[in-house]
Amino acid sequence: NVTLANNTCTLDNAGAGLYNAAGDSVLTNCILYYNAANGEEQDERDQIAGSLGGVSVTYSCIDNLDIFGDPDFFNTPNPPLFVSEEADDYCLNNTDCGSDCASPAIDLGLDSAIGESLDLKKHTRKVNLRTGDNDVDMGPIETQNASGSPCG
């Protein structure tokens, strides 16, 4: 449960969000968005690159989703709709603002991948704001309220 956003690197398609040099990396319930290699977002490799054979990404929100776009991975290419990435506020827009601005990453994570009962801000995890089987949000910060301040 991490958010890797607004990072840059100077090489093309070099994983400004994550570069896996060797070995295995497992990402679950993560957000990789708005990362840019060589100055601009072009494709999924700006988010994740390197030795991809050892990378597993599931239940995550990935900009320019391609390689990890198989439906069995439960990933979404939709923007996470942060409260304000310009102000480094990576809370997810809550559900009361309507379908145009509510984050698609709310309640779409894999509940069983959460070991901690608290999020990065020390708030409760698994706050169910939408109907469905999953309660946990993608990323490290759980949306606490359907209205008002989403991060509690």
mmCIF file of all heavy atoms in Angstrom, residues 12 21 29 53 118 131:
data_model
loop_
_atom_site.group_PDB
_atom_site.id
_atom_site.type_symbol
_atom_site.label_atom_id
_atom_site.label_comp_id
_atom_site.label_asym_id
_atom_site.label_seq_id
_atom_site.Cartn_x
_atom_site.Cartn_y
_atom_site.Cartn_z
ATOM 1 N N ASP A 12 14.378 7.796 -20.778
ATOM 2 C CA ASP A 12 13.101 7.374 -21.362
ATOM 3 C C ASP A 12 12.667 6.034 -20.796
ATOM 4 O O ASP A 12 13.473 5.110 -20.653
ATOM 5 C CB ASP A 12 13.220 7.222 -22.887
ATOM 6 C CG ASP A 12 13.153 8.556 -23.600
ATOM 7 O OD1 ASP A 12 12.548 9.486 -23.045
ATOM 8 O OD2 ASP A 12 13.713 8.648 -24.701
ATOM 9 N N ALA A 21 15.476 -3.479 -10.664
ATOM 10 C CA ALA A 21 16.749 -3.849 -11.278
ATOM 11 C C ALA A 21 16.902 -5.363 -11.380
ATOM 12 O O ALA A 21 17.412 -5.872 -12.373
ATOM 13 C CB ALA A 21 17.905 -3.256 -10.485
ATOM 14 N N ASN A 29 -2.367 -3.067 -3.900
ATOM 15 C CA ASN A 29 -3.077 -1.902 -3.354
ATOM 16 C C ASN A 29 -2.257 -0.619 -3.489
ATOM 17 O O ASN A 29 -2.267 0.222 -2.604
ATOM 18 C CB ASN A 29 -3.447 -2.108 -1.880
ATOM 19 C CG ASN A 29 -4.367 -3.271 -1.640
ATOM 20 O OD1 ASN A 29 -4.996 -3.786 -2.549
ATOM 21 N ND2 ASN A 29 -4.450 -3.711 -0.402
ATOM 22 N N GLY A 53 9.773 -9.246 -15.426
ATOM 23 C CA GLY A 53 9.415 -10.647 -15.205
ATOM 24 C C GLY A 53 9.273 -10.973 -13.735
ATOM 25 O O GLY A 53 8.543 -11.878 -13.352
ATOM 26 N N LEU A 118 -4.260 0.267 10.871
ATOM 27 C CA LEU A 118 -4.215 1.719 10.734
ATOM 28 C C LEU A 118 -3.489 2.091 9.445
ATOM 29 O O LEU A 118 -2.575 1.390 9.007
ATOM 30 C CB LEU A 118 -3.502 2.356 11.924
ATOM 31 C CG LEU A 118 -4.111 2.092 13.300
ATOM 32 C CD1 LEU A 118 -3.254 2.723 14.386
ATOM 33 C CD2 LEU A 118 -5.541 2.604 13.377
ATOM 34 N N THR A 131 -20.637 0.046 -1.874
ATOM 35 C CA THR A 131 -21.161 -1.311 -1.789
ATOM 36 C C THR A 131 -20.230 -2.245 -2.543
ATOM 37 O O THR A 131 -19.794 -1.951 -3.639
ATOM 38 C CB THR A 131 -22.569 -1.375 -2.419
ATOM 39 O OG1 THR A 131 -23.403 -0.423 -1.763
ATOM 40 C CG2 THR A 131 -23.154 -2.755 -2.278
#
